[in-house]
Amino acid sequence: MNESKAITKSNVTSESKAWLYVILAGFLEVVWASGFKYEEVPSLVVLIAILLSFDLIIRATKVIPVGTVYAVFAGIGTIGTVIVEVIFENDSVSPLRIALILLLLVCIIGLKLTNKDGEV
């Protein structure tokens, strides 16, 4: 009985850790994707960010379905790079662009919430 509780608690912890890996990988994606555009980001930082982000994604896919991991990873990276461009390029922020980013964010949260072995 205690062993099953320990296994259940361990699985919850590893799933939480896997989601943390996905979030960190998404932020690292913003770093390396932005590094391709901005010369201020050193090439070594871009390379390390790429390697770390993919390592974290691989670790996360051992616990969370690959499709969910990739969608959330890409969503975080997309939203982050848009925010970086808006800040550093003084790019315009139209209401349609904000609405689409919010829609993407809602979809990412929806994927996270529906990830329990196909349960909705």
Side-chain angles (χ1 to χ4, degrees):
M1 187 74 170
N2 287 339
E3 188 174 312
S4 66
K5 282 184 180 180
I7 291 171
T8 303
K9 188 173 181 176
S10 173
N11 288 342
V12 170
T13 302
S14 30
E15 186 172 325
S16 297
K17 193 182 279 185
W19 279 110
L20 179 64
Y21 290 162
V22 174
I23 293 168
L24 289 173
F27 284 115
L28 287 169
E29 183 189 17
V30 174
V31 171
W32 63 256
S34 299
F36 289 147
K37 182 172 185 176
Y38 301 107
E39 294 176 3
E40 293 83 9
V41 181
S43 299
L44 184 61
V45 171
V46 172
L47 181 64
I48 290 171
I50 289 172
L51 294 174
L52 278 176
S53 70
F54 283 107
D55 181 60
L56 291 169
I57 287 299
I58 290 168
R59 291 173 191 250
T61 58
K62 299 200 187 298
V63 178
I64 303 170
V66 173
T68 303
V69 168
Y70 185 71
V72 172
F73 167 74
I76 291 170
T78 302
I79 291 171
T81 51
V82 167
I83 291 171
V84 166
E85 267 198 28
V86 167
I87 292 171
F88 289 106
E89 299 278 327
N90 291 327
D91 205 5
S92 66
V93 184
S94 68
L96 178 62
R97 198 172 189 185
I98 292 172
L100 291 172
I101 289 172
L102 290 175
L103 179 64
L104 182 59
L105 188 61
V106 167
C107 291
I108 291 170
I109 292 169
L111 282 171
K112 165 73 173 95
L113 294 176
T114 59
N115 184 44
K116 298 283 183 192
D117 298 324
E119 294 176 12
V120 178

